[in-house]
Every structure is written in C-alpha cells, then in structure tokens.
Amino acid sequence: MSKRSDEIRNKYIQNPPEGMTADDIRHMSEDDLLDMDYFLNEDDEFGEDFPGAEGFYIF
C-alpha cells in the first residue's frame, strides 16, 4: 500500500463515516478506500470562496 492510502485508512479508522465501523475500514481494499475518500471529499477541492460554490442558478 502507498503511504497516502495508509494515511487515509488511519484517518477513517479514527473517525469512520456514518454507517461504517473502524473494522469495515480495516478490511477495505486500497481501491475502495481511495474511491470512498474521493466521494466524501469531491466538493472540497475548490472551497467556499470559489465562484459558484454557493449554488447553481438559472436566470
């Protein structure tokens, strides 16, 4: 496993997402772990200061 996936795994073992347990995280494949992390953080890439972050509007 890569160092990054170990960091992610430890992060989610300490604080598992809702509906999961630390044991679930321990037994996840590296690919599943990275997919879950991406899904949980996909909106965080740009932050709240990014134009359009407040929503999508049709005028």
Side-chain angles (χ1 to χ4, degrees):
M1 269 193 255
S2 71
K3 180 180 176 185
R4 177 70 178 138
S5 63
D6 286 340
E7 292 171 3
I8 293 169
R9 186 177 307 276
N10 289 331
K11 170 185 163 185
Y12 289 119
I13 286 173
Q14 296 297 319
N15 188 16
E18 186 176 338
M20 298 190 82
T21 65
D23 198 44
D24 293 334
I25 304 297
R26 280 187 196 95
H27 292 98
M28 288 178 82
S29 71
E30 185 175 11
D31 287 339
D32 288 341
L33 181 69
L34 295 173
D35 287 346
M36 178 186 72
D37 183 62
Y38 176 80
F39 175 75
L40 292 173
N41 296 300
E42 67 183 327
D43 293 334
D44 295 345
E45 182 177 344
F46 299 109
E48 293 179 9
D49 296 334
F50 187 76
E54 68 278 351
F56 177 77
Y57 302 96
I58 299 176
F59 294 97

